[in-house]
Amino acid sequence: MSGCWASFCLMAVAIRELDGRIPVAQALLFRSIIGLAFVGCIIQLAGKTYLFKTSKPVLHSVRNLFHFAGQYGWFLGIGLLPLAEVFALEFTVPIWTILIAALFLGEAITWRKVAAVLLGLLGVAVIVRPGIEIIDTAALIVLASAMCYAISHSCTKVMALTEKPLTILFYMCLVQLPVGLVLSLAVWVWPVGIEWLWIVVIGLTALSAHFCLTKAMQHAEVGIVVTLDFIRLPMIGLVGVLLYQEQLEITLLLGGGLMLLGNMLNIKTDKAG
């Protein structure tokens, strides 16, 4: 999960740097092209061509259509809201994920899990201090993307039981590439200069983030993994302060502390199980 946090934070910086220069759909298209080439080469060089095959093509398609929608909303939000606020709104994902995992994957909802999620959400509330000013179109877009992510996470958990991480990454890029291409045709803009570097960063960090996330889900319940992801919020808050002069407030530290407490409680649950 540490690799996942670092990857998402670096990806957010790259997205912010490309905001207003490259359309979101096109950035997602380039991400898929880079990812497909990178993963395909790794599989070929390792001589593990069996990883190109899957027994769950429909589940891959469902997962990646929802994941594309979630990424699209997330990319838009990063260009419209402070980084910490985007990540905070995104962290409604555990609510939906735990509910979906309980309904469709048979994972138990314990009082410790509920307490961990509530502490995490309380931390979110402390940081964003929700009021009428954040209930705008940008916030609603990020909330909708969080719901899409929850469905994607639950599909990943099912596939992680039988599919290798590289297979999941390969089909993520393969399914999302034509979607990004179709949406990019009407708004195409050729990148120039350093924009190519940021596009490569997005492509590589997308792979590393999902590789780490998939590996984590092979070792813990999906509800625990997404709750651990709360630690990403105080990290991106610091990134916003250092790189974009976004204000660092005591509420960010307090909210981060509540999230950490919830994570510790959830980790204890995992070890006890």
Side-chain angles (χ1 to χ4, degrees), residues 17 32 41 69 77 80 136 150 155 188 190 215 265 268:
E17 293 299 318
S32 296
C41 287
L80 297 171
D136 56 19
C155 292
W188 189 269
W190 280 109
K215 293 295 289 185
L265 182 63
K268 184 177 180 181

Side-chain angles (χ1 to χ4, degrees), residues 30-75:
F30 282 126
R31 182 208 64 177
S32 296
I33 293 173
I34 293 170
L36 193 64
F38 194 79
V39 175
C41 287
I42 290 177
I43 293 175
Q44 281 290 151
L45 291 174
K48 298 181 178 180
T49 54
Y50 62 88
L51 293 176
F52 289 126
K53 299 179 181 179
T54 178
S55 60
K56 295 181 169 65
V58 175
L59 192 56
H60 277 288
S61 298
V62 172
R63 174 194 183 271
N64 288 302
L65 288 175
F66 277 102
H67 181 261
F68 185 93
Q71 283 273 274
Y72 197 98
W74 193 65
F75 275 45

Side-chain angles (χ1 to χ4, degrees), residues 49-247:
T49 54
Y50 62 88
L51 293 176
F52 289 126
K53 299 179 181 179
T54 178
S55 60
K56 295 181 169 65
V58 175
L59 192 56
H60 277 288
S61 298
V62 172
R63 174 194 183 271
N64 288 302
L65 288 175
F66 277 102
H67 181 261
F68 185 93
Q71 283 273 274
Y72 197 98
W74 193 65
F75 275 45
L76 285 177
I78 285 174
L80 297 171
L81 297 170
L83 293 178
E85 188 170 324
V86 173
F87 279 53
L89 291 171
E90 180 194 350
F91 286 136
T92 55
V93 170
I95 297 176
W96 309 114
T97 305
I98 288 177
L99 290 175
I100 291 170
L103 290 172
F104 298 104
L105 305 184
E107 292 188 2
I109 298 182
T110 66
W111 72 269
R112 286 182 181 273
K113 283 186 182 180
V114 173
V117 170
L118 290 178
L119 282 169
L121 293 176
L122 180 59
V124 169
V126 169
I127 291 171
V128 302
R129 288 165 294 174
I132 190 66
E133 67 276 5
I134 76 162
I135 306 303
D136 56 19
T137 302
L140 293 176
I141 288 172
V142 177
L143 287 172
S145 75
M147 297 180 190
C148 292
Y149 276 137
I151 297 173
S152 174
H153 285 330
S154 298
C155 292
T156 302
K157 179 60 178 178
V158 174
M159 291 189 297
L161 298 175
T162 57
E163 304 279 88
K164 298 296 184 181
L166 285 176
T167 301
I168 293 174
L169 288 176
F170 178 78
Y171 280 93
M172 178 185 77
C173 300
L174 185 64
V175 172
Q176 295 187 27
L177 191 154
V179 179
L181 177 60
V182 170
L183 295 178
S184 298
L185 293 177
V187 292
W188 189 269
V189 176
W190 280 109
V192 294
I194 198 172
E195 292 172 1
W196 284 109
L197 173 62
W198 292 122
I199 286 172
V200 171
V201 169
I202 290 174
L204 295 181
T205 53
L207 288 176
S208 59
H210 286 87
F211 181 84
C212 293
L213 185 65
T214 302
K215 293 295 289 185
M217 288 185 177
Q218 289 179 332
H219 296 282
E221 287 189 356
V222 65
I224 290 175
V225 171
V226 295
T227 307
L228 272 174
D229 204 27
F230 272 122
I231 294 176
R232 189 158 39 102
L233 180 54
M235 289 176 63
I236 197 62
L238 293 176
V239 170
V241 170
L242 295 175
L243 297 184
Y244 302 108
Q245 291 74 53
E246 295 177 0
Q247 189 174 359

